[in-house]
Each structure stands twice: as structure tokens, then as C-alpha cells.
């Protein structure tokens, strides 16, 4: 994998203290976070319920960081554009949740945001083959979606490599995001494999200082940036 790529660190607020969300976000901003990852769960597609449109709207007013909304919801096509209107700069939908992926990706783009496709750990890379050319990024889940603080699934590394190869072979301009169980000890490996947007929740907001944790993750990738 070539060097000199832009690596974005995207703290996932799922592990933040929601009663102090403004302060938590200010801390990761000071640490140099590039993107804020927002996990939207509906209690149907995944076995957990988190936050939705009103929170995204408030966040957009509270930070200059681009908001990356990861929709873990059934029928994401019904809501994707609304997340853009609420202030999301990036909206990703699960391939497992949407039989009309092309339509949804196009609607996100025409609403003015970057469109992402997400793969669960057991969903093969081939499931996005035909959607790749319509997407701005692919999010590889390295845990089963639903909860923060789970253990990284090591097979995800090979999956990122295969996806990177496919994108290179097809000469597409699609970024790879990875989400789940990322910490200081594995960030370099996933970056080397080809991931460029690195989501981390518990490794950042579970640390003593979220600001320092962002800096440490960045430093661990520094020779690849
Ligand atoms: C899991 C979410 C992740 C989660 C990551 O369903 O999509 O974004 O917050 O948390 P960690 O980094 O703790 O695995
Ligand atoms: Zn996520």
C-alpha cells in the first residue's frame, strides 16, 4: 500500500458521555480529529437503539468537524436524505439493509453529501462490487454492529486488503473506512492494509484523556501519513 495518503481519525461518539457531549467533542477537536462518527441504530437492524436526526442537527451546529452518520437502520433509503438535511457530510448505509442501494447512494450524493456503503463482518467484498462505482467510501465493519467496546475481528485486515485491491484494479476513487475495535495496537496494520478513515470509540472516549488518545492514534499511523 502506498504511503502519503490522508488518514482521517474519526472518533465515534457512541462511547462518549452523552451528558457532556459538547465537552467530549471539544476534546477530540483539540486532539486533531478529522471527522465525527455518529452511530445511528434503530433497535431493528441492530439490537441497540441510539440517536437520530435531532441529535445530528444539534451536533452540526456545535462542531465544524464533518459528521459521518453510520446508519444501522432498516430501510435506510427512507431516511438517508434527511440526515444530509440535518447536517451530515457523510452518510453510510448497510448493504444488508438496502435492496435499492443505487437509488439510496444517488439520493445521498444529490443531497450534497458523500455516500458510503457498509459491510458487516460476514458480508463478502463481492456484495459491493456493483455499488463501488457509485460510492465515495466503503465502511468495513471489524466488529458486529450494535455496540462499542467489542473485540476487533482480525480477518477484517484481509478483507480491507482485498477491497483495496479491487478499488485499485478498477481505478476508482473510493476510500476505505474501518470501524470496530480499533486501538493503538492495531491501527497501523489496518492503515497498511489500505484503510484511510479510522473510526475509534472506546479507545478514545474510554481513555483518561480523549484529546491525548486521538493524538496517540494519529502518531501510531504517522509513518503512513
Ligand atoms: C459499532 C459502531 C462503532 C462503535 C465503535 O456498531 O458502529 O462505530 O462505536 O466502537 P469501538 O471503537 O469501541 O469498537
Ligand atoms: Zn459506526
Amino acid at each position: 500500500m502506498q504511503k502519503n495518503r490522508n488518514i482521517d481519525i474519526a472518533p465515534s461518539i457512541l462511547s462518549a458521555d452523552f451528558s457532556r457531549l459538547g465537552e467530549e467533542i471539544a476534546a477530540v477537536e483539540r486532539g486533531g480529529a478529522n471527522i465525527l462518527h455518529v452511530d445511528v441504530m434503530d433497535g431493528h437492524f441492530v439490537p441497540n437503539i441510539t440517536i437520530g436526526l435531532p441529535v445530528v442537527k444539534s451536533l452540526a451546529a456545535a462542531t465544524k468537524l464533518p459528521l459521518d452518520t453510520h446508519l444501522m437502520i432498516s430501510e435506510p433509503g427512507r431516511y438517508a436524505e434527511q440526515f444530509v438535511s440535518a447536517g451530515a457530510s457523510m452518510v453510510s448505509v448497510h448493504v444488508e439493509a438496502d435492496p435499492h442501494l443505487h437509488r439510496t447512494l444517488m439520493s445521498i450524493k444529490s443531497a450534497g453529501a458523500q455516500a458510503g456503503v457498509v459491510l458487516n463482518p460476514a458480508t463478502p467484498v463481492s456484495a459491493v462490487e456493483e455499488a463501488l462505482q457509485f460510492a465515495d467510501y466503503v465502511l468495513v465493519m471489524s466488529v458486529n454492529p450494535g455496540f462499542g467496546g467489542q473485540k476487533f475481528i482480525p480477518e477484517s485486515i484481509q478483507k480491507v486488503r482485498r477491497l483495496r485491491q479491487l478499488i485499485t484494479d478498477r481505478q476508482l476513487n473510493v476510500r476505505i473506512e474501518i470501524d470496530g475495535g480499533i486501538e493503538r495496537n492495531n491501527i497501523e496494520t489496518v492503515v497498511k492494509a489500505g484503510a484511510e478513515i479510522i473510526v475509534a470509540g472506546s479507545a478514545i472516549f474510554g481513555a483518561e484523556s480523549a484529546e491525548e488518545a486521538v493524538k496517540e492514534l494519529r502518531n501510531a499511523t504517522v509513518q503512513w501519513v
Side-chain angles (χ1 to χ4, degrees), residues 44-86:
H44 186 254
F45 178 65
V46 289
N48 196 6
I49 301 174
T50 55
I51 54 173
L53 290 159
V55 176
V56 171
K57 211 170 166 183
S58 300
L59 287 172
T63 180
K64 288 201 175 66
L65 292 178
L67 300 179
D68 165 27
T69 51
H70 173 193
L71 304 189
M72 286 160 275
I73 62 176
S74 301
E75 296 190 67
R78 284 177 60 188
Y79 302 97
E81 275 184 70
Q82 295 180 55
F83 279 92
V84 183
S85 305

mmCIF file of all heavy atoms in Angstrom, residues 44-86:
data_model
loop_
_atom_site.group_PDB
_atom_site.id
_atom_site.type_symbol
_atom_site.label_atom_id
_atom_site.label_comp_id
_atom_site.label_asym_id
_atom_site.label_seq_id
_atom_site.Cartn_x
_atom_site.Cartn_y
_atom_site.Cartn_z
ATOM 1 N N HIS A 44 -33.717 -2.457 15.380
ATOM 2 C CA HIS A 44 -34.352 -3.400 14.453
ATOM 3 C C HIS A 44 -33.280 -4.049 13.574
ATOM 4 O O HIS A 44 -33.100 -5.256 13.584
ATOM 5 C CB HIS A 44 -35.391 -2.662 13.607
ATOM 6 C CG HIS A 44 -36.194 -3.556 12.722
ATOM 7 N ND1 HIS A 44 -36.003 -3.616 11.366
ATOM 8 C CD2 HIS A 44 -37.179 -4.441 13.008
ATOM 9 C CE1 HIS A 44 -36.831 -4.511 10.844
ATOM 10 N NE2 HIS A 44 -37.556 -5.019 11.819
ATOM 11 N N PHE A 45 -32.536 -3.214 12.857
ATOM 12 C CA PHE A 45 -31.421 -3.746 12.064
ATOM 13 C C PHE A 45 -30.314 -4.246 12.988
ATOM 14 O O PHE A 45 -29.621 -5.216 12.684
ATOM 15 C CB PHE A 45 -30.881 -2.681 11.099
ATOM 16 C CG PHE A 45 -29.705 -3.152 10.292
ATOM 17 C CD1 PHE A 45 -29.837 -4.185 9.373
ATOM 18 C CD2 PHE A 45 -28.447 -2.594 10.473
ATOM 19 C CE1 PHE A 45 -28.743 -4.654 8.640
ATOM 20 C CE2 PHE A 45 -27.354 -3.050 9.744
ATOM 21 C CZ PHE A 45 -27.504 -4.079 8.828
ATOM 22 N N VAL A 46 -30.115 -3.557 14.089
ATOM 23 C CA VAL A 46 -29.152 -3.979 15.115
ATOM 24 C C VAL A 46 -29.845 -3.972 16.483
ATOM 25 O O VAL A 46 -30.807 -3.235 16.675
ATOM 26 C CB VAL A 46 -27.907 -3.049 15.167
ATOM 27 C CG1 VAL A 46 -27.029 -3.228 13.948
ATOM 28 C CG2 VAL A 46 -28.314 -1.595 15.327
ATOM 29 N N PRO A 47 -29.336 -4.784 17.396
ATOM 30 C CA PRO A 47 -30.022 -4.892 18.701
ATOM 31 C C PRO A 47 -29.635 -3.792 19.691
ATOM 32 O O PRO A 47 -29.218 -4.068 20.807
ATOM 33 C CB PRO A 47 -29.573 -6.273 19.195
ATOM 34 C CG PRO A 47 -28.236 -6.483 18.560
ATOM 35 C CD PRO A 47 -28.237 -5.745 17.252
ATOM 36 N N ASN A 48 -29.762 -2.554 19.264
ATOM 37 C CA ASN A 48 -29.471 -1.434 20.155
ATOM 38 C C ASN A 48 -30.139 -0.188 19.569
ATOM 39 O O ASN A 48 -30.364 -0.118 18.355
ATOM 40 C CB ASN A 48 -27.948 -1.224 20.250
ATOM 41 C CG ASN A 48 -27.548 -0.355 21.428
ATOM 42 O OD1 ASN A 48 -28.373 0.026 22.256
ATOM 43 N ND2 ASN A 48 -26.269 -0.034 21.505
ATOM 44 N N ILE A 49 -30.460 0.747 20.425
ATOM 45 C CA ILE A 49 -31.078 1.998 19.979
ATOM 46 C C ILE A 49 -30.187 3.148 20.436
ATOM 47 O O ILE A 49 -29.757 3.165 21.594
ATOM 48 C CB ILE A 49 -32.487 2.173 20.602
ATOM 49 C CG1 ILE A 49 -33.383 0.992 20.210
ATOM 50 C CG2 ILE A 49 -33.109 3.492 20.163
ATOM 51 C CD1 ILE A 49 -34.742 0.996 20.900
ATOM 52 N N THR A 50 -29.884 4.065 19.520
ATOM 53 C CA THR A 50 -29.020 5.180 19.949
ATOM 54 C C THR A 50 -29.697 6.520 19.688
ATOM 55 O O THR A 50 -30.624 6.883 20.409
ATOM 56 C CB THR A 50 -27.636 5.113 19.252
ATOM 57 O OG1 THR A 50 -27.826 5.072 17.841
ATOM 58 C CG2 THR A 50 -26.838 3.918 19.714
ATOM 59 N N ILE A 51 -29.243 7.210 18.677
ATOM 60 C CA ILE A 51 -29.700 8.589 18.467
ATOM 61 C C ILE A 51 -30.144 8.772 17.029
ATOM 62 O O ILE A 51 -29.868 7.933 16.183
ATOM 63 C CB ILE A 51 -28.564 9.587 18.783
ATOM 64 C CG1 ILE A 51 -27.310 9.220 17.973
ATOM 65 C CG2 ILE A 51 -28.274 9.636 20.266
ATOM 66 C CD1 ILE A 51 -26.201 10.222 18.088
ATOM 67 N N GLY A 52 -30.793 9.909 16.767
ATOM 68 C CA GLY A 52 -31.297 10.136 15.420
ATOM 69 C C GLY A 52 -31.151 11.577 14.970
ATOM 70 O O GLY A 52 -30.249 12.297 15.401
ATOM 71 N N LEU A 53 -32.078 11.989 14.133
ATOM 72 C CA LEU A 53 -31.972 13.277 13.437
ATOM 73 C C LEU A 53 -31.804 14.506 14.344
ATOM 74 O O LEU A 53 -30.962 15.353 14.059
ATOM 75 C CB LEU A 53 -33.194 13.461 12.522
ATOM 76 C CG LEU A 53 -33.210 12.512 11.306
ATOM 77 C CD1 LEU A 53 -34.626 12.367 10.752
ATOM 78 C CD2 LEU A 53 -32.256 13.025 10.239
ATOM 79 N N PRO A 54 -32.565 14.631 15.432
ATOM 80 C CA PRO A 54 -32.420 15.861 16.232
ATOM 81 C C PRO A 54 -31.016 16.015 16.804
ATOM 82 O O PRO A 54 -30.493 17.135 16.894
ATOM 83 C CB PRO A 54 -33.441 15.684 17.365
ATOM 84 C CG PRO A 54 -34.355 14.610 16.917
ATOM 85 C CD PRO A 54 -33.607 13.745 15.958
ATOM 86 N N VAL A 55 -30.403 14.896 17.182
ATOM 87 C CA VAL A 55 -29.045 14.977 17.749
ATOM 88 C C VAL A 55 -28.045 15.367 16.651
ATOM 89 O O VAL A 55 -27.153 16.189 16.872
ATOM 90 C CB VAL A 55 -28.650 13.646 18.437
ATOM 91 C CG1 VAL A 55 -27.209 13.693 18.926
ATOM 92 C CG2 VAL A 55 -29.594 13.353 19.591
ATOM 93 N N VAL A 56 -28.218 14.803 15.464
ATOM 94 C CA VAL A 56 -27.324 15.162 14.348
ATOM 95 C C VAL A 56 -27.432 16.665 14.070
ATOM 96 O O VAL A 56 -26.439 17.351 13.867
ATOM 97 C CB VAL A 56 -27.651 14.323 13.092
ATOM 98 C CG1 VAL A 56 -26.884 14.834 11.878
ATOM 99 C CG2 VAL A 56 -27.334 12.851 13.347
ATOM 100 N N LYS A 57 -28.638 17.172 14.122
ATOM 101 C CA LYS A 57 -28.857 18.603 13.883
ATOM 102 C C LYS A 57 -28.125 19.456 14.929
ATOM 103 O O LYS A 57 -27.446 20.426 14.595
ATOM 104 C CB LYS A 57 -30.366 18.888 13.943
ATOM 105 C CG LYS A 57 -30.782 19.994 13.053
ATOM 106 C CD LYS A 57 -32.288 20.087 12.951
ATOM 107 C CE LYS A 57 -32.639 21.426 12.335
ATOM 108 N NZ LYS A 57 -34.061 21.649 12.264
ATOM 109 N N SER A 58 -28.231 19.069 16.173
ATOM 110 C CA SER A 58 -27.540 19.823 17.234
ATOM 111 C C SER A 58 -26.032 19.718 17.083
ATOM 112 O O SER A 58 -25.303 20.694 17.300
ATOM 113 C CB SER A 58 -27.913 19.286 18.621
ATOM 114 O OG SER A 58 -29.282 19.408 18.831
ATOM 115 N N LEU A 59 -25.562 18.511 16.741
ATOM 116 C CA LEU A 59 -24.115 18.328 16.576
ATOM 117 C C LEU A 59 -23.585 19.219 15.457
ATOM 118 O O LEU A 59 -22.521 19.823 15.583
ATOM 119 C CB LEU A 59 -23.790 16.863 16.238
ATOM 120 C CG LEU A 59 -23.933 15.851 17.375
ATOM 121 C CD1 LEU A 59 -23.764 14.436 16.825
ATOM 122 C CD2 LEU A 59 -22.899 16.127 18.453
ATOM 123 N N ALA A 60 -24.339 19.296 14.372
ATOM 124 C CA ALA A 60 -23.886 20.089 13.223
ATOM 125 C C ALA A 60 -23.701 21.552 13.617
ATOM 126 O O ALA A 60 -22.817 22.235 13.109
ATOM 127 C CB ALA A 60 -24.877 19.958 12.079
ATOM 128 N N ALA A 61 -24.522 22.008 14.558
ATOM 129 C CA ALA A 61 -24.398 23.398 14.998
ATOM 130 C C ALA A 61 -23.266 23.557 16.011
ATOM 131 O O ALA A 61 -22.762 24.657 16.218
ATOM 132 C CB ALA A 61 -25.713 23.852 15.619
ATOM 133 N N ALA A 62 -22.848 22.443 16.622
ATOM 134 C CA ALA A 62 -21.890 22.530 17.724
ATOM 135 C C ALA A 62 -20.449 22.263 17.305
ATOM 136 O O ALA A 62 -19.523 22.476 18.086
ATOM 137 C CB ALA A 62 -22.294 21.555 18.835
ATOM 138 N N THR A 63 -20.229 21.747 16.097
ATOM 139 C CA THR A 63 -18.858 21.429 15.681
ATOM 140 C C THR A 63 -18.652 21.762 14.209
ATOM 141 O O THR A 63 -19.609 21.737 13.420
ATOM 142 C CB THR A 63 -18.531 19.930 15.913
ATOM 143 O OG1 THR A 63 -17.174 19.680 15.498
ATOM 144 C CG2 THR A 63 -19.468 19.009 15.141
ATOM 145 N N LYS A 64 -17.394 22.038 13.878
ATOM 146 C CA LYS A 64 -17.064 22.265 12.464
ATOM 147 C C LYS A 64 -16.633 20.962 11.809
ATOM 148 O O LYS A 64 -16.458 20.891 10.589
ATOM 149 C CB LYS A 64 -15.937 23.295 12.348
ATOM 150 C CG LYS A 64 -16.397 24.704 12.669
ATOM 151 C CD LYS A 64 -15.429 25.726 12.048
ATOM 152 C CE LYS A 64 -15.906 27.142 12.231
ATOM 153 N NZ LYS A 64 -15.919 27.554 13.659
ATOM 154 N N LEU A 65 -16.414 19.930 12.619
ATOM 155 C CA LEU A 65 -15.981 18.652 12.037
ATOM 156 C C LEU A 65 -17.084 18.084 11.158
ATOM 157 O O LEU A 65 -18.268 18.173 11.502
ATOM 158 C CB LEU A 65 -15.664 17.635 13.146
ATOM 159 C CG LEU A 65 -14.451 17.920 14.027
ATOM 160 C CD1 LEU A 65 -14.319 16.841 15.109
ATOM 161 C CD2 LEU A 65 -13.180 17.986 13.188
ATOM 162 N N PRO A 66 -16.700 17.464 10.031
ATOM 163 C CA PRO A 66 -17.722 16.806 9.208
ATOM 164 C C PRO A 66 -18.364 15.661 9.993
ATOM 165 O O PRO A 66 -17.671 14.924 10.702
ATOM 166 C CB PRO A 66 -16.923 16.245 8.019
ATOM 167 C CG PRO A 66 -15.552 16.806 8.114
ATOM 168 C CD PRO A 66 -15.347 17.347 9.488
ATOM 169 N N LEU A 67 -19.669 15.539 9.875
ATOM 170 C CA LEU A 67 -20.378 14.468 10.570
ATOM 171 C C LEU A 67 -20.555 13.280 9.634
ATOM 172 O O LEU A 67 -21.085 13.411 8.528
ATOM 173 C CB LEU A 67 -21.752 14.949 11.047
ATOM 174 C CG LEU A 67 -21.765 16.123 12.017
ATOM 175 C CD1 LEU A 67 -23.208 16.491 12.366
ATOM 176 C CD2 LEU A 67 -20.974 15.793 13.279
ATOM 177 N N ASP A 68 -20.098 12.134 10.111
ATOM 178 C CA ASP A 68 -20.170 10.881 9.351
ATOM 179 C C ASP A 68 -21.243 10.026 10.018
ATOM 180 O O ASP A 68 -21.019 9.461 11.085
ATOM 181 C CB ASP A 68 -18.772 10.228 9.434
ATOM 182 C CG ASP A 68 -18.742 8.784 9.020
ATOM 183 O OD1 ASP A 68 -19.587 8.369 8.212
ATOM 184 O OD2 ASP A 68 -17.828 8.061 9.501
ATOM 185 N N THR A 69 -22.438 9.990 9.425
ATOM 186 C CA THR A 69 -23.523 9.241 10.061
ATOM 187 C C THR A 69 -23.560 7.821 9.506
ATOM 188 O O THR A 69 -23.729 7.610 8.309
ATOM 189 C CB THR A 69 -24.889 9.933 9.864
ATOM 190 O OG1 THR A 69 -25.082 10.237 8.486
ATOM 191 C CG2 THR A 69 -24.972 11.216 10.666
ATOM 192 N N HIS A 70 -23.377 6.884 10.401
ATOM 193 C CA HIS A 70 -23.360 5.456 10.072
ATOM 194 C C HIS A 70 -24.749 4.920 10.420
ATOM 195 O O HIS A 70 -25.086 4.764 11.593
ATOM 196 C CB HIS A 70 -22.242 4.802 10.910
ATOM 197 C CG HIS A 70 -22.192 3.319 10.834
ATOM 198 N ND1 HIS A 70 -21.441 2.557 11.713
ATOM 199 C CD2 HIS A 70 -22.787 2.438 9.986
ATOM 200 C CE1 HIS A 70 -21.579 1.278 11.411
ATOM 201 N NE2 HIS A 70 -22.389 1.178 10.376
ATOM 202 N N LEU A 71 -25.545 4.696 9.370
ATOM 203 C CA LEU A 71 -26.938 4.301 9.602
ATOM 204 C C LEU A 71 -27.066 2.789 9.765
ATOM 205 O O LEU A 71 -26.979 2.038 8.792
ATOM 206 C CB LEU A 71 -27.836 4.775 8.448
ATOM 207 C CG LEU A 71 -27.824 6.271 8.124
ATOM 208 C CD1 LEU A 71 -28.916 6.609 7.103
ATOM 209 C CD2 LEU A 71 -27.999 7.126 9.381
ATOM 210 N N MET A 72 -27.264 2.367 10.988
ATOM 211 C CA MET A 72 -27.517 0.943 11.256
ATOM 212 C C MET A 72 -29.017 0.796 11.474
ATOM 213 O O MET A 72 -29.490 0.553 12.590
ATOM 214 C CB MET A 72 -26.708 0.492 12.481
ATOM 215 C CG MET A 72 -25.225 0.343 12.167
ATOM 216 S SD MET A 72 -24.196 0.384 13.651
ATOM 217 C CE MET A 72 -24.018 2.154 13.822
ATOM 218 N N ILE A 73 -29.736 1.032 10.381
ATOM 219 C CA ILE A 73 -31.199 1.032 10.446
ATOM 220 C C ILE A 73 -31.761 0.257 9.261
ATOM 221 O O ILE A 73 -31.130 0.170 8.208
ATOM 222 C CB ILE A 73 -31.775 2.473 10.449
ATOM 223 C CG1 ILE A 73 -31.417 3.235 9.146
ATOM 224 C CG2 ILE A 73 -31.229 3.269 11.635
ATOM 225 C CD1 ILE A 73 -32.032 4.631 9.057
ATOM 226 N N SER A 74 -32.944 -0.305 9.448
ATOM 227 C CA SER A 74 -33.642 -0.937 8.339
ATOM 228 C C SER A 74 -34.180 0.164 7.421
ATOM 229 O O SER A 74 -34.451 1.276 7.884
ATOM 230 C CB SER A 74 -34.806 -1.782 8.862
ATOM 231 O OG SER A 74 -34.305 -2.759 9.740
ATOM 232 N N GLU A 75 -34.343 -0.174 6.171
ATOM 233 C CA GLU A 75 -34.855 0.773 5.173
ATOM 234 C C GLU A 75 -34.143 2.138 5.227
ATOM 235 O O GLU A 75 -34.803 3.191 5.368
ATOM 236 C CB GLU A 75 -36.367 0.986 5.356
ATOM 237 C CG GLU A 75 -37.167 -0.286 5.120
ATOM 238 C CD GLU A 75 -38.651 0.018 5.079
ATOM 239 O OE1 GLU A 75 -39.089 0.696 4.129
ATOM 240 O OE2 GLU A 75 -39.363 -0.409 6.005
ATOM 241 N N PRO A 76 -32.820 2.132 5.137
ATOM 242 C CA PRO A 76 -32.087 3.403 5.262
ATOM 243 C C PRO A 76 -32.453 4.410 4.176
ATOM 244 O O PRO A 76 -32.336 5.622 4.389
ATOM 245 C CB PRO A 76 -30.616 2.987 5.155
ATOM 246 C CG PRO A 76 -30.630 1.681 4.442
ATOM 247 C CD PRO A 76 -31.908 1.002 4.864
ATOM 248 N N GLY A 77 -32.915 3.912 3.038
ATOM 249 C CA GLY A 77 -33.290 4.807 1.936
ATOM 250 C C GLY A 77 -34.401 5.781 2.317
ATOM 251 O O GLY A 77 -34.523 6.857 1.737
ATOM 252 N N ARG A 78 -35.209 5.420 3.305
ATOM 253 C CA ARG A 78 -36.296 6.308 3.725
ATOM 254 C C ARG A 78 -35.788 7.525 4.482
ATOM 255 O O ARG A 78 -36.483 8.520 4.625
ATOM 256 C CB ARG A 78 -37.273 5.548 4.639
ATOM 257 C CG ARG A 78 -38.169 4.609 3.884
ATOM 258 C CD ARG A 78 -39.065 3.839 4.825
ATOM 259 N NE ARG A 78 -39.934 4.687 5.617
ATOM 260 C CZ ARG A 78 -40.694 4.257 6.615
ATOM 261 N NH1 ARG A 78 -40.680 2.968 6.940
ATOM 262 N NH2 ARG A 78 -41.462 5.076 7.281
ATOM 263 N N TYR A 79 -34.569 7.394 5.057
ATOM 264 C CA TYR A 79 -34.094 8.452 5.958
ATOM 265 C C TYR A 79 -32.803 9.132 5.527
ATOM 266 O O TYR A 79 -32.438 10.168 6.076
ATOM 267 C CB TYR A 79 -33.873 7.861 7.369
ATOM 268 C CG TYR A 79 -35.111 7.232 7.939
ATOM 269 C CD1 TYR A 79 -35.323 5.858 7.846
ATOM 270 C CD2 TYR A 79 -36.072 8.030 8.546
ATOM 271 C CE1 TYR A 79 -36.479 5.281 8.354
ATOM 272 C CE2 TYR A 79 -37.232 7.465 9.060
ATOM 273 C CZ TYR A 79 -37.429 6.087 8.961
ATOM 274 O OH TYR A 79 -38.565 5.539 9.461
ATOM 275 N N ALA A 80 -32.098 8.512 4.558
ATOM 276 C CA ALA A 80 -30.738 8.981 4.237
ATOM 277 C C ALA A 80 -30.684 10.483 3.930
ATOM 278 O O ALA A 80 -29.854 11.215 4.486
ATOM 279 C CB ALA A 80 -30.170 8.171 3.080
ATOM 280 N N GLU A 81 -31.582 10.953 3.075
ATOM 281 C CA GLU A 81 -31.551 12.371 2.702
ATOM 282 C C GLU A 81 -31.830 13.274 3.904
ATOM 283 O O GLU A 81 -31.293 14.371 3.997
ATOM 284 C CB GLU A 81 -32.638 12.654 1.659
ATOM 285 C CG GLU A 81 -32.186 12.353 0.249
ATOM 286 C CD GLU A 81 -33.271 12.751 -0.756
ATOM 287 O OE1 GLU A 81 -33.500 13.955 -0.935
ATOM 288 O OE2 GLU A 81 -33.874 11.832 -1.330
ATOM 289 N N GLN A 82 -32.658 12.795 4.795
ATOM 290 C CA GLN A 82 -32.973 13.613 5.974
ATOM 291 C C GLN A 82 -31.740 13.829 6.842
ATOM 292 O O GLN A 82 -31.601 14.848 7.506
ATOM 293 C CB GLN A 82 -34.077 12.952 6.808
ATOM 294 C CG GLN A 82 -35.407 12.880 6.085
ATOM 295 C CD GLN A 82 -36.462 12.215 6.957
ATOM 296 O OE1 GLN A 82 -36.713 12.622 8.079
ATOM 297 N NE2 GLN A 82 -37.084 11.178 6.432
ATOM 298 N N PHE A 83 -30.834 12.836 6.830
ATOM 299 C CA PHE A 83 -29.602 13.009 7.603
ATOM 300 C C PHE A 83 -28.716 14.068 6.964
ATOM 301 O O PHE A 83 -28.041 14.827 7.656
ATOM 302 C CB PHE A 83 -28.873 11.672 7.802
ATOM 303 C CG PHE A 83 -29.473 10.885 8.930
ATOM 304 C CD1 PHE A 83 -30.479 9.957 8.694
ATOM 305 C CD2 PHE A 83 -29.072 11.106 10.238
ATOM 306 C CE1 PHE A 83 -31.076 9.268 9.748
ATOM 307 C CE2 PHE A 83 -29.658 10.422 11.298
ATOM 308 C CZ PHE A 83 -30.664 9.501 11.049
ATOM 309 N N VAL A 84 -28.736 14.137 5.642
ATOM 310 C CA VAL A 84 -27.978 15.198 4.962
ATOM 311 C C VAL A 84 -28.585 16.561 5.329
ATOM 312 O O VAL A 84 -27.871 17.497 5.692
ATOM 313 C CB VAL A 84 -27.966 14.995 3.430
ATOM 314 C CG1 VAL A 84 -27.107 16.080 2.766
ATOM 315 C CG2 VAL A 84 -27.455 13.603 3.048
ATOM 316 N N SER A 85 -29.899 16.647 5.273
ATOM 317 C CA SER A 85 -30.552 17.914 5.634
ATOM 318 C C SER A 85 -30.258 18.302 7.079
ATOM 319 O O SER A 85 -30.166 19.488 7.405
ATOM 320 C CB SER A 85 -32.068 17.812 5.473
ATOM 321 O OG SER A 85 -32.383 17.399 4.192
ATOM 322 N N ALA A 86 -30.101 17.315 7.940
ATOM 323 C CA ALA A 86 -29.816 17.601 9.355
ATOM 324 C C ALA A 86 -28.377 18.057 9.566
ATOM 325 O O ALA A 86 -28.025 18.541 10.639
ATOM 326 C CB ALA A 86 -30.107 16.375 10.199
#
